[in-house]
Every structure is written in structure tokens, then in C-alpha cells.
Amino acid sequence: SAAGYTDRPGFQKMLALIAMRDVGIIFCLDASRLSRNSPDWANLFELCGYFQTLIADHDQIYDLSIPNDRLVLGIKGTVSELELSILRTRLRLGAESKAARGQLKYVVPPGYAHDPDGQIILDPDRRVQKAIQSLFDQFDRCSSIRQLSLWYRQNSTTFPVRKLSKPCTTAWQIPSLTTLRHLLKHPIYAGAYVYGRSRRRVEYVEGKLVKRSEADLPPDQWRVCIHDHHPAFISWQRFLDNQDRIAASRPRWAMNDNLGPLREGLAMLSGLLRC
């Protein structure tokens, strides 16, 4: 896809072939589909103009060494980029509007399912429900998520893990630390429907634009939060208490503030010592 900031090896290979004079003409269903952003357009135009490579779509054949053809194709690219931006904005606003009503459907974590009307309900499998409840009960006895992960491994206790393959299935396996952290920080188990828990930002890394997601935002910055939206495994207060415990056990660089594993200091074996 030409959208976004992902690497396009096929597009880069085409540019390399143009520079090597191995391409005489590029056929496409629509010339505007060759690229959806200005930098790629400029690079393609420059190479095709220098190396006498033509571009053909359903309307006509363009010779980018001719100023008129270059102008027409440039206008098409600008219009295409604007249309993509408008379409993305409409889709985002539509999703936010649906989420504000608690009707935006997404893949729910283990313990929940969707009924025929699209409402979030408890998983009909009682074994799954018991495993989720056991997760929160056992976390109350542990000092951190790492301790909880070690408990699952030491006792060889399996847990329902949602696979995102098609169709979406649930597999019983020993959960990883990342999976446990994701589940314990998910507000769906407190009966809350939430949208917009994270925010994306764009960074410039090694000459490329890269999209990255920020860490989970605090509850007061979530775009949508509907309490008592569906059956809950834990109360909202218990969920907040769990978040405080997770935050307190994370490593800190300030020694006086550290309740988790130490990361600096004079003691060489501080990571192996436990009170």
C-alpha cells in the first residue's frame, strides 16, 4: 500500500530499475495510485523525467520530460493525496462517533465474547471465566506481574490466550509476561468500554517517518470511557488499585523512589537480593 509510512520494497525496486534504464513504461490502473505522498511523487517524477520512462493509465500516456504532462500528473497526485486525507478523517470520525455510543466492535480479550447483536458478554465457557477470575485473585497474592508470570510457569498452569488468526480462536497455554501485563491493564474486565487509551505519534528515524504508539494514557485522558457497559470480573476501584500496584513495582532510576528492581548503585548483586 502507498498509504502511511511503511517501507515499500516493490516501489523502491521499481525506482532502481528506472535508474538503470531497464524500464521504458509503467502501466497502472490509475496514475495517482503509484504514490499517495509528495516525497514519493517527487522522486518518481524526477527519475522518470531523467531516464525517459513513460507512465500510462486508462486516460493517457504521460511523458514526464514534457512540462504539460508533468503538470497534469502532478495535479492528479495532489488531488489523490487530498482525497486520502479526507477519507482517513471521515473514517476516524465515524469510528469515534460509534465508540462514543459504545457500539464500535473490536476483538475482545479472553473472558468475553460478542453476542449476535454485537454486545459484549461473558464467555459462555465456564472454564475460561474461572481462569480469568483466578488471574486477578492470584495477582492479589503477588508483588508484581513478574511474580505472577513465574507462578504460572512454576505450576505449569495454562491460561486461555486469544489468537488473532482467522477465525479468532482461544488456545490454552502458559501465558507470557507481556500477555499478563496486557490483561491486567485492560479496563474491559472492570466492566468499562474504553476507546483511545493510547496516542500515536510520528518520529523521524534514520531518514524515515515512523509511526509509534505512546504508553497507555491515564484514565482521565481516555477519549471514551463508559462504566457498567457489560458484566465485569472486578470492580473499577480494584482495577485502579491494580494499576497503582503495577506502577509502583516498575523499575525507577531514582534510588529513594524505587520499590521495584534496582537499576543502578554500588551493589553489584542488587538484582539477586530479595527481602
Side-chain angles (χ1 to χ4, degrees):
S1 172
Y5 304 111
T6 57
D7 291 331
R8 303 174 62 199
F11 185 78
Q12 298 301 325
K13 180 180 180 181
M14 182 182 67
L15 294 181
L17 292 175
I18 294 174
M20 295 170 61
R21 300 183 186 275
D22 290 340
V23 178
I25 186 171
I26 301 173
F27 295 95
C28 54
L29 296 177
D30 185 353
S32 63
R33 298 294 298 181
L34 282 174
S35 180
R36 311 307 289 273
N37 57 74
S38 299
D40 285 352
W41 266 113
N43 199 8
L44 178 65
F45 280 15
E46 185 178 14
L47 291 179
C48 290
Y50 285 155
F51 299 102
Q52 292 80 44
T53 300
L54 305 178
I55 296 180
D57 61 8
H58 283 302
D59 298 328
Q60 66 182 82
I61 298 176
Y62 305 91
D63 184 354
L64 295 181
S65 63
I66 301 176
N68 187 56
D69 286 4
R70 191 183 186 95
L71 174 63
V72 172
L73 201 56
I75 293 174
K76 283 190 173 183
T78 302
V79 172
S80 175
E81 191 174 2
L82 177 62
E83 288 178 347
L84 179 64
S85 178
I86 294 175
L87 180 61
R88 186 185 296 113
T89 301
R90 288 178 177 175
L91 291 174
R92 177 178 56 82
L93 292 177
E96 291 179 355
S97 176
K98 204 168 184 179
R101 303 190 301 269
Q103 298 176 353
L104 183 63
K105 191 175 180 180
Y106 57 87
V107 178
V108 293
Y112 288 100
H114 286 104
D115 63 8
D117 297 329
Q119 300 298 320
I120 299 178
I121 59 174
L122 294 177
D123 194 310
D125 192 338
R126 293 295 182 87
R127 183 187 176 194
V128 174
Q129 295 184 28
K130 186 176 180 180
I132 298 297
Q133 193 63 56
S134 175
L135 166 69
F136 291 102
D137 293 340
Q138 186 61 36
F139 183 63
D140 291 340
R141 306 184 187 99
C142 298
S143 59
S144 65
I145 300 179
R146 181 178 179 275
Q147 291 292 316
L148 179 63
S149 177
L150 290 176
W151 179 84
Y152 275 100
R153 291 187 177 277
Q154 292 171 357
N155 294 276
S156 299
T157 303
T158 57
F159 186 85
V161 177
R162 185 63 51 84
K163 300 294 184 179
L164 298 181
S165 57
K166 296 183 180 179
C168 189
T169 57
T170 299
W172 287 85
Q173 62 188 45
I174 298 178
S176 64
L177 187 144
T178 302
T179 298
L180 295 175
R181 180 184 293 109
H182 172 72
L183 297 180
L184 289 171
K185 297 181 70 173
H186 207 306
I188 190 174
Y189 294 108
Y193 179 94
V194 174
Y195 176 81
R197 289 191 298 151
S198 61
R199 184 186 299 117
R200 283 191 174 185
R201 68 179 187 274
V202 179
E203 294 183 352
Y204 193 72
V205 181
E206 297 180 355
K208 297 180 180 179
L209 294 175
V210 180
K211 285 184 177 180
R212 291 182 176 176
S213 296
E214 294 183 353
D216 291 341
L217 300 173
D220 58 345
Q221 296 183 22
W222 294 344
R223 294 185 183 180
V224 177
C225 183
I226 304 175
H227 295 281
D228 302 324
H229 178 268
H230 51 267
F233 284 93
I234 59 176
S235 65
W236 179 253
Q237 185 58 47
R238 187 178 177 186
F239 168 77
L240 295 179
D241 293 340
N242 288 343
Q243 305 316 300
D244 292 339
R245 290 178 55 203
I246 294 173
S249 63
R250 75 178 188 272
R252 296 176 175 83
W253 293 106
M255 297 293 290
N256 295 333
D257 235 9
N258 209 330
L259 298 180
L262 302 180
R263 298 300 187 190
E264 61 181 12
L266 299 179
M268 297 180 62
L269 302 179
S270 59
L272 300 179
L273 298 177
R274 179 175 299 168
C275 182

